[in-house]
Amino acid sequence: MKFDRIVRTTCPYCGVGCQIELNVIDEKIISTGAPENSAPNFGRLCAKGRFGTDFTHHHSRLKMPLIRKDIDKGLRFPVGVEGFREASWDEALNLAADRIAETYKKSGGEAFGTFCCAKATNEDNYLFQKFARSTLKTNNVDHCARLCHAASVAGLQKALGSSAMSNSIAEMKDLEVFIVTGSNTTETHPVISTFMREAVVKNGAKLIVIDPRKIEMTNFAVLHLQHKPGTDVALFQAMANVIIKGKLYNTNFINSRTEGFELYSKNLDKFTPEWAEIITGVPSDDIKEAAEIYAKANTAAVYWGMGISQSVHGTDNTISIANLALLCGHLGRSGTGLNPLRGQNNVQGCSDTGGLPAYYSGYQSVSDNEIKLKFEAKWNTHLNNKPGLTTLEMSDAAGSGLITDFIILGENPLMSEPDLNAARHHFSKLKNVIMIDIFFNESAEYADIIFPAASFAEKDGTFTNSDRRVQLIRPAFDTPGEAKVDWKIIQELALKVESRLDRKESSGFEFSSASEIWDEMAELVSPFGGISHSRLEKEGGVHWPCPLENHSGTPYLFSDTFPRGKGLFNVLELRLESEQPTSEYPYILSTGRILYHWHGGTMTRRSVLDKIYPKALAEINPEDAEKDGLQDGQTVTVSSLRGSVSVELKVSGRSPKGVIFIPIHFSETIVNELTNDLRDPVAKIPDFKISAVKIIQQSSSLT
Ligand SMILES: Nc1nc2c(c(=O)[nH]1)N[C@H]1C(S)=C(S)[C@@H](COP(=O)(O)OP(=O)(O)OC[C@H]3O[C@@H](n4cnc5c(=O)[nH]c(N)nc54)[C@H](O)[C@@H]3O)O[C@H]1N2
Ligand SMILES: Nc1nc2c(c(=O)[nH]1)N[C@H]1C(S)=C(S)[C@@H](COP(=O)(O)OP(=O)(O)OC[C@H]3O[C@@H](n4cnc5c(=O)[nH]c(N)nc54)[C@H](O)[C@@H]3O)O[C@H]1N2
Ligand code: SF4
Ligand SMILES: [Mo]
């Protein structure tokens, strides 16, 4: 077929960061391909990259700014898109700027809560956090990473002083031994899963899967440790116990590169595999075998996802894995490492660029005076050194009236936060809600002003994938209607707010391209210093840290040292603090993903993918179905202490006994009506994988 254009860019869905070619006819993507010779995917794409980019020309794309019709009544309840009227850019921007300036003058910067966007570019996010910090003087900046790898970040920071994935995707096909835990890799990082499977099938690599569900990766595993949800610390500590008792640890590595071993190893005595069997349900012999396979390998890597992070024990879970890697010296070499698989296409970049409450771009602390001075000099303004609130803390502060204004760049908190009835109540108290998105999503129901943004296929800039590879995106066609590129919307809003606040200093928002924005950031963040758009254009992606133009980038970290110096062993105790099933709510609800859909479905449910998988299916174990008289295909009500949803059952051996798994993607079955808001004390991440629920037969399905 002859295309009008073939545009090489980066997939907008997951953190693998596949290089993709958009085949364009009549200003629409009609198919996609993938270049054979480019990392990270070398010609491979999953269903979303192949078939899921058609959302870009869906008729419901936002094309004009929208203003809530009853904006002056001061009421906030959900209204559909009919509750809004189209407005010119001038009117909408002026109104938004008036309202923001009014709040600032009355209540100061702390009255704002701002959300960055892990789907938008590094340049969009850099400018957005600059707007929050420099114009609004608040560090209340966060994004969906808080609901995602926050606990991996907290745990790895404690152990190593760095939180990014340590090793590269390119190493995966040559793995020797690897553990996949709390990651349903075939559905959530599909192209990575093909490299992992290749390692097993072609090289005889040994895979150990540690997951309560019998996910597809178990078909390739030598061992599947099917533990009870929420018992990871017991399991990993018991593996460490086996390694210490059998003297299978790496003495050289421990002596030269770590600290805290004595205390840590003493505390492990009680964590025997026999004890762990009682807590986790995993046979002690399997725990021993897993420990031996991992410890005896020359190189071994661990990959993990939300099963580890989204937990009240998420930070401890991560630390228990980091302890194992330090014990065996499986760090700092190819084929080893501690690898949290990052979720969104640019969640790595959204954190790197400063979409976090305690850090400027490049993880530079907002409370460090020298760093503050550096940013003040570059941005020509005064900054606030008080770390801001996290996503869920901003929601709490909205509920209590401390925050009155939310400014949301491409997120959908009213699908993605836990206990949505509480979250909606918090939203309803806000004075101003301003959003920038490509679609009218569930959160938009509560907005006052919505700005229409360009999608990934209509702009340039960069995304940073899961292995820290910065890659270009390129425009394939114009934005629909009057939609604009995110950074231009932020720029125009910032300039208008600054002028209303009579800022004398130069505003620092005078950019004429995404590449100029990158350059400003690279001046402030030394690990980005050697990366520029023109270099990426010539070379393809570059892994940061890359401090100089002649530096080739860093595929794997920690070859000589850790950012905190020595790797730290941390003593852990077992906490079991999740919501426990009761006689009234006897099932554990586990929530997560399926291959064909993305989060709240804003994009994939507007794609041909929705025809393949049109509704939520809740997996339950055949024995549970039999016990409770439930059938495959039956529609049931699932209720927790917080809410109820209706869902069709799929009886499947994938779910362990006592667990019901419901995907997060469907607005007809909003699973976060059910989830609870218990949070990890350090990372503040919610316990998305464990809520107590009951399954109720609907009367119509009994007749
Ligand atoms: N198709 C698709 N792909 C995606 C996304 C999407 O929405 N759709 N989202 C992206 C994003 S942002 C992210 S963060 C990633 C997430 O990627 P994953 O982390 O792979 O996604 P989840 O479906 O949340 O699966 C987590 C796994 O944890 C297991 N689990 C549940 N409880 C526990 C436990 O207590 N311990 C352990 N060890 N495991 C447990 C589940 O059985 C499941 O296999 O996916 C990314 N990729
Ligand atoms: N129960 C439960 N809840 C969960 C999870 C779970 O496992 N279980 N997982 C959590 C995790 S890991 C994550 S990451 C969060 C995800 O939570 P969110 O980030 O809130 O979810 P998305 O649906 O990805 O929202 C992205 C929004 O960005 C918009 N968008 C896309 N491209 C662009 C663009 O270029 N510019 C702009 N401005 N907007 C754009 C989309 O239309 C959409 O509205 O959900 C969390 N919630
Ligand atoms: S694996 Fe991820 S980046 Fe690659 S095509 Fe699929 S969704 Fe896109
Ligand atoms: Mo995520």
Side-chain angles (χ1 to χ4, degrees), residues 515-543:
S515 144
E516 271 180 29
I517 299 176
W518 174 274
D519 291 344
E520 175 175 305
M521 178 169 63
E523 265 182 58
L524 289 159
V525 179
S526 61
F528 296 158
I531 304 177
S532 63
H533 282 208
S534 57
R535 175 167 177 187
L536 296 175
E537 191 64 61
K538 277 190 235 114
E539 292 179 27
V542 176
H543 298 272

Side-chain angles (χ1 to χ4, degrees), residues 308-362:
I308 291 298
S309 185
Q310 285 173 340
S311 160
V312 273
H313 325 116
T315 305
D316 286 358
N317 291 346
T318 307
I319 288 174
S320 68
I321 296 174
N323 282 337
L324 272 189
L326 291 172
L327 207 49
C328 301
H330 288 324
L331 278 163
R333 290 172 293 136
S334 181
T336 65
L338 289 166
N339 300 293
L341 298 173
R342 304 306 304 249
Q344 296 258 32
N345 56 318
N346 195 34
V347 68
Q348 180 67 49
C350 195
S351 301
D352 298 345
T353 54
L356 296 170
Y359 300 104
Y360 297 118
S361 319

Side-chain angles (χ1 to χ4, degrees), residues 425-501:
H425 180 66
H426 295 161
F427 256 72
S428 70
K429 298 204 163 169
L430 289 162
K431 209 168 116 263
N432 290 307
V433 178
I434 294 167
M435 295 186 55
I436 305 176
D437 208 293
I438 61 173
F439 288 115
F440 187 90
N441 63 21
E442 287 70 14
S443 311
E445 301 259 348
Y446 286 76
D448 296 293
I449 303 171
I450 306 167
F451 294 108
S455 77
F456 85 105
E458 296 139 17
K459 61 182 176 185
D460 65 0
T462 55
F463 293 159
T464 306
N465 80 345
S466 189
D467 68 356
R468 295 169 282 101
R469 193 180 163 89
V470 185
Q471 309 188 109
L472 286 176
I473 65 164
R474 297 182 180 85
F477 33 73
D478 285 343
T479 54
E482 295 189 16
K484 291 189 191 190
V485 173
D486 287 290
W487 70 258
K488 290 190 177 158
I489 304 173
I490 300 157
Q491 175 182 49
E492 287 180 31
L493 188 62
L495 289 169
K496 283 187 187 288
V497 175
E498 295 249 332
S499 85
R500 281 162 177 74
L501 298 178

Side-chain angles (χ1 to χ4, degrees), residues 144 147-148 306 343-344 593 599:
C144 66
L147 309 176
C148 185
M306 293 302 104
Q344 296 258 32
R593 294 155 173 80
H599 297 152

Side-chain angles (χ1 to χ4, degrees), residues 374-406:
K374 175 170 95 170
F375 277 81
E376 285 183 338
K378 185 75 204 168
W379 291 353
N380 193 20
T381 191
H382 292 290
L383 296 169
N384 175 350
N385 64 0
K386 186 176 149 217
L389 301 177
T390 63
T391 303
L392 295 181
E393 287 170 342
M394 292 196 275
S395 181
D396 297 344
S400 65
L402 288 173
I403 285 183
T404 58
D405 290 30
F406 270 5

Side-chain angles (χ1 to χ4, degrees), residues 28-254:
K28 285 188 178 141
I29 303 168
I30 65 128
S31 64
T32 62
E36 291 286 333
N37 53 357
S38 301
N41 50 317
F42 296 98
R44 301 172 193 196
L45 291 176
C46 79
K48 289 178 294 303
R50 280 272 170 233
F51 306 113
T53 56
D54 52 339
F55 70 84
T56 46
H57 51 80
H58 193 267
H59 63 83
S60 66
R61 279 287 302 276
L62 295 174
K63 299 179 190 75
M64 293 290 291
L66 298 175
I67 297 177
R68 194 183 185 92
K69 285 178 186 160
D70 63 1
I71 187 165
D72 291 322
K73 295 216 179 97
L75 299 168
R76 192 172 307 286
F77 51 85
V79 286
V81 74
E82 320 74 53
F84 288 75
R85 67 177 173 82
E86 290 189 349
S88 68
W89 275 98
D90 254 1
E91 184 191 0
L93 280 168
N94 283 328
L95 185 63
D98 284 345
R99 291 184 153 236
I100 291 171
E102 189 190 326
T103 298
Y104 186 87
K105 284 178 190 160
K106 197 168 141 229
S107 316
E110 302 301 317
F112 294 92
T114 70
F115 298 74
C116 288
C117 174
K119 290 239 140 310
T121 63
N122 287 322
E123 294 75 7
D124 297 331
N125 283 297
Y126 172 79
L127 208 62
F128 187 80
Q129 59 91 41
K130 180 173 180 179
F131 168 59
R133 298 195 150 104
S134 156
T135 307
L136 304 178
K137 311 290 179 211
T138 182
N139 291 312
N140 292 340
V141 187
D142 206 2
H143 69 284
C144 66
R146 186 66 47 194
L147 309 176
C148 185
H149 268 301
S152 313
V153 170
L156 288 176
Q157 282 291 350
K158 225 169 156 189
L160 312 177
S162 157
S163 54
M165 183 163 147
S166 65
N167 288 55
S168 71
I169 296 168
E171 292 159 47
M172 291 178 185
K173 64 179 189 1
D174 301 316
L175 289 166
E176 179 192 340
V177 162
F178 62 114
I179 295 176
V180 170
T181 180
S183 155
N184 181 9
T185 328
T186 46
E187 303 204 54
T188 58
H189 294 87
V191 166
I192 280 186
S193 83
T194 68
F195 294 122
M196 290 177 167
R197 286 180 282 169
E198 201 174 315
V200 172
V201 176
K202 285 201 181 150
N203 306 346
K206 286 187 179 160
L207 163 64
I208 299 163
V209 172
I210 303 179
D211 199 297
R213 289 163 64 224
K214 198 168 180 320
I215 49 169
E216 211 181 323
M217 285 305 275
T218 58
N219 296 335
F220 298 84
V222 287
L223 265 182
H224 175 204
L225 310 190
Q226 194 170 16
H227 61 319
K228 291 186 190 138
T231 63
D232 296 84
V233 167
L235 187 69
F236 289 113
Q237 292 275 96
M239 283 174 67
N241 173 296
V242 174
I243 291 168
I244 296 213
K245 280 216 185 103
K247 299 212 175 355
L248 300 172
Y249 47 83
N250 183 333
T251 314
N252 273 348
F253 190 89
I254 292 171

